Amino acid sequence: MNQIKFYQKGTFTVGNRLVAEEERTTQASPARSNSLTCGHRACQGCGEALGARYAVDAAMRAADGQLIAVNATGCLEVFTTPYPETSWQIPWMHSLFGNAPAVATGVAAAMRVKGRTEVRTIAQGGDGGTTDIGFGCLSGMFERNDDVLYICYDNQAYMNTGVQRSSATPPAARTATTPPVGDKPGNVFGTGKNVPLIAMAHNIPYVATASVADLRDLEAKVTKAMAIHGARYIQIFVPCPLGWGSVAHDTVRLARLGVESGLYPLFEAENGAVTSSTKIRRRVPVEDYLLLQRRFAHLFKKGKPVDDRVARLQAMADENIRRFNLLAPEE
């Protein structure tokens, strides 16, 4: 009698322990480290908690458990370590808001001096601590090519301190410091910075963007980064229900729509050049993404755009699709 295997595969699901071991994700394996374990105080539907669990467990597996994490001040630090408790099960250090790259550089240097070359170092921060407050230290880490993987959890605002605008906040978005009032409410166009592209300009060995909508891709990119020595940067798209004004169960859906609309391109780059991009499976208009978030509610009336700003966001998405070659060729 033939043995029957019944499992789901080839979908958006993370993985299944019935599939072959070499095809399993880190989280689908009983050997996962659970580096970020239960008991933390993240909001319901927190994309950052999901992204951090997958990213750090993948880094732990790649480093054979020999990993030290440095964490900038921010949501991830606050909800995982309310004194005197912690949800981290790895060597973990809390740095200031702006110096996580420098502290991680020091940790990596100390391990090298001690002859502990098997111990690897990662640094973590939100977009505020990465693209703004910690930007100088991050650029220095890149310029020196320090042996650190820096992971930015990009939720596009300072969520921990009250949803203020950061340089990763998209145009037109409502925040506490870009309120939906006046003739052109929300964040202004023509501001902000694209740190993955800035990282590429430093010609570091590896740069990538990822999303909690594709956790297998996220794990694969972290694993690849950990196989490389030198400065590496991964920016992960992590929707925030509290700051975005979305419902908790739409976190992964929003992350997917952000990618499928082209507003958040997924790609890899090595030594300053893009080497691959994740093709969009089902292209959607930016309205599908924007309408699910109250931070963009002022752009619509009865589901229709009130002015040209939605079209301008669509043009940004279209340019990303062209620039990063995100559409699969028609069969």
Side-chain angles (χ1 to χ4, degrees):
M1 183 176 179
N2 294 329
Q3 184 178 8
I4 297 175
K5 291 185 178 181
F6 178 79
Y7 52 83
Q8 186 178 22
K9 199 167 180 292
T11 70
F12 286 120
T13 53
V14 173
N16 190 304
R17 293 181 187 175
L18 294 176
V19 304
E21 187 171 353
E22 63 274 10
E23 297 180 17
R24 298 177 188 173
T25 64
T26 302
Q27 290 299 315
S29 167
R32 68 181 185 270
S33 58
N34 286 325
S35 304
L36 176 57
T37 190
C38 60
H40 62 71
R41 302 180 185 185
C43 299
Q44 187 177 28
C46 174
E48 187 169 36
L50 177 63
R53 178 174 181 179
Y54 277 77
V56 180
D57 273 9
M60 277 285 284
R61 183 167 72 172
D64 197 25
Q66 301 296 305
L67 186 72
I68 298 175
V70 176
N71 209 134
T73 297
C75 272
L76 184 61
E77 170 263 322
V78 169
F79 71 66
T80 59
T81 58
Y83 182 81
E85 303 166 2
T86 180
S87 290
W88 294 101
Q89 299 195 103
I90 60 172
W92 181 93
M93 298 175 64
H94 170 212
S95 72
L96 299 177
F97 220 141
N99 69 347
V103 173
T105 293
V107 170
M111 291 298 102
R112 184 174 65 252
V113 169
K114 291 173 68 69
R116 298 292 304 277
T117 55
E118 78 281 6
V119 180
R120 307 300 300 282
T121 308
I122 65 170
Q124 307 180 100
D127 53 281
T130 302
T131 71
D132 292 339
I133 302 174
F135 184 68
C137 288
L138 184 67
S139 178
M141 188 198 97
F142 291 161
E143 181 271 326
R144 295 186 301 269
N145 197 30
D146 294 319
D147 190 21
V148 175
L149 168 59
Y150 191 100
I151 302 173
C152 172
Y153 301 104
D154 181 14
N155 56 26
Q156 302 185 333
Y158 288 89
M159 302 308 182
N160 174 51
T161 54
V163 195
Q164 295 88 3
R165 174 201 178 274
S166 79
S167 59
T169 301
R174 176 267 296 149
T175 70
T177 48
T178 57
V181 297
D183 294 335
K184 294 291 184 180
N187 192 28
V188 297
F189 282 80
T191 61
K193 65 185 72 157
N194 190 318
V195 174
L197 296 184
I198 295 171
M200 287 172 56
H202 287 75
N203 292 312
I204 61 175
Y206 185 75
V207 176
T209 57
S211 166
V212 292
D214 191 340
L215 295 167
R216 297 185 73 93
D217 177 70
L218 189 162
E219 287 189 346
K221 287 172 176 173
V222 171
T223 301
K224 183 174 180 178
M226 291 299 295
I228 300 170
H229 286 271
R232 292 142 288 145
Y233 180 76
I234 297 179
Q235 186 164 299
I236 303 175
F237 189 40
V238 290
C240 171
L242 176 66
W244 292 17
S246 57
V247 294
H249 63 255
D250 272 347
T251 294
V252 172
R253 181 185 179 191
L254 278 169
R256 184 174 301 126
L257 289 172
V259 171
E260 292 180 337
S261 67
L263 284 174
Y264 207 92
L266 302 186
F267 66 91
E268 294 179 287
E270 297 180 32
N271 301 309
V274 174
T275 55
S276 67
S277 59
T278 301
K279 306 304 180 186
I280 294 174
R281 300 189 186 198
R282 180 182 63 93
R283 188 177 182 181
V284 299
V286 296
E287 285 95 332
D288 289 7
Y289 170 71
L290 302 174
L291 283 167
L292 295 177
Q293 307 169 62
R294 286 198 301 275
R295 64 175 178 161
F296 293 112
H298 54 280
L299 299 182
F300 299 91
K301 186 174 183 179
K302 296 183 179 179
K304 302 295 184 181
V306 297
D307 55 32
D308 67 342
R309 284 176 295 167
V310 173
R312 294 175 69 181
L313 289 168
Q314 183 65 62
M316 292 172 57
D318 294 343
E319 173 58 21
N320 284 336
I321 289 171
R322 183 203 64 78
R323 181 176 191 174
F324 296 100
N325 191 27
L326 299 179
L327 290 182
E330 294 184 4
E331 297 181 0

